[in-house]
Amino acid sequence: MSFRTVFIAIVLATGLIVSAYLLHSRRPQIQVNQPSATYIKATGKCAECHRNTQYSIVHEFEMSAHAAKGVNCLDCHQVAPEQQGKPHHGFVINTGPTPANCRACHEAIYQQFLRSRHAAPSWASVAGDKDFTPEQISFSEKFQPGGTRRPPHPLTAIEGEAATRSGCLSCHSIGRPNADGTIGNCTACHTRHTSSIEFARLPSTCGQCHLGPDHSQLEIYTESRHGAMFNAQRAMLRLDTPAGKLTTQDMFVPTCATCHMSGLNGRGATHDPSDRLSYYLFSEITEERPNATRGRAAMKDICLQCHTPTLVERIYREGDAVVKATNEKIAEGKAIMDALRQDGLLPAAGFSVPLQFSYFDLWHYYGRTAKHAAFMGGADFVQWHGNYPILQHLIEIRSEAKRLRAEHGK
């Protein structure tokens, strides 16, 4: 081989290398600086586009436990039975995964969720049962009697679709029925691409929905000793510990999920947050749940991982007393309202005169708050956001009822 041939080959090779370097230097840094083999393996061709258009979802997925275990984009975005696929750059995918996709790996968790009030009863409490199949209604009613077989909430017709969709259903969509026959939205608690255990364990995650005057659990928790300790010691907690390995060394301060769902110290984890409850505290007149004895024992067992039996029994004894006293006050208000309606002094339709709003506030806001706070360590909410406005509204209801009777001679 002549010197000239070798020289030309070297010049061409050098030119190609320099050209490649120049082209590479002009690529967006978001492409050039991608860090790891895990990223490449987990995201593959999907990342080629999405790192330029929605970089955050690629970055979130790379950090997830799914990526660490070799799950890739198509494992979750594949078309499950009863789903409609969409052509997408050479693939056919489901652009909106539902529990039909999650259950491929997490069937037991999905079945626990289906038994909960987070499932069908959550959606039905706003929209009624019209969106569910008879089979879905029957299944849910076995575990949450009266939770799904019901009409839409009367406020939906009065407030209108815009308020209902952007307000009520934003939270209650955790139990929405999906076109593929599944129920729910796993990403409401776990997020879409991080699929994070840590995120689902944060009080602020539950507090996206469990806050406000009618279910003020986040405010109660924040005020409680548990909440104060969590805020002070969060950095010392291992919130990302897998459910089957979680101990009180990882979570020596509880969050909502610790008490209601976790498998702390070998206790079985559950995706039915009502599994360890003994009362329907959200009800107008609170009654025991069908599984009250078992649920109470299960929750006490969680409490005992950190507290003495004496303390646990005292909290339950005091909570029971608040439930009983609150029931008595609300029952009096209900009896007054029922009598007025029976005597034709109140319209049958709810939310048409101020007195009906007063009674709704009495039980739906303040009654619920007092009862929840009694079991969650929120003294201010038992008293000033609970019993005080209960007393105030009850007196107003008595006074207005007396006025109406005098006015109509009844």
Side-chain angles (χ1 to χ4, degrees), residues 386-406:
N387 271 276
Y388 180 82
I390 287 173
L391 177 62
Q392 178 187 9
H393 279 63
L394 190 54
I395 288 174
E396 290 173 356
I397 290 168
R398 289 175 189 159
S399 177
E400 179 63 10
K402 184 178 179 181
R403 187 193 68 78
L404 283 171
R405 292 193 177 281

Side-chain angles (χ1 to χ4, degrees), residues 336-358:
I336 293 171
M337 297 293 288
D338 289 345
L340 289 173
R341 201 173 292 109
Q342 219 169 34
D343 294 342
L345 299 177
L346 273 183
F351 305 105
S352 52
V353 297
L355 189 58
Q356 291 170 318
F357 282 86
S358 293

Side-chain angles (χ1 to χ4, degrees), residues 200-220:
R201 283 185 176 141
L202 291 171
S204 55
T205 299
C206 303
Q208 294 175 101
C209 296
H210 290 274
L211 80 171
D214 62 337
H215 31 51
S216 50
Q217 287 95 336
L218 180 63
E219 294 94 326
I220 294 167

Side-chain angles (χ1 to χ4, degrees), residues 115-122 144-145 147 150 272 274 280 282 289:
R115 290 162 168 75
S116 76
R117 294 195 70 86
H118 271 170
S122 180
Q144 304 291 342
R150 57 190 296 175
D272 177 359
S274 60
Y280 289 119
F282 60 82
R289 293 171 179 263

Side-chain angles (χ1 to χ4, degrees), residues 175-188:
R176 71 189 178 200
N178 300 303
D180 56 27
T182 61
I183 293 172
N185 175 18
C186 306
T187 60

Side-chain angles (χ1 to χ4, degrees), residues 94 108 122 131:
N94 171 22
S122 180
D131 300 318

Side-chain angles (χ1 to χ4, degrees), residues 220-257:
I220 294 167
Y221 173 83
T222 301
E223 174 186 277
S224 74
R225 183 63 62 87
H226 287 161
M229 292 176 67
F230 176 79
N231 287 331
Q233 298 175 307
R234 173 181 170 177
M236 301 167 65
L237 304 174
R238 293 190 283 270
L239 289 160
D240 59 349
T241 303
K245 298 180 179 179
L246 191 71
T247 71
T248 40
Q249 290 183 322
D250 306 302
M251 293 293 296
F252 53 87
V253 176
T255 67
C256 318

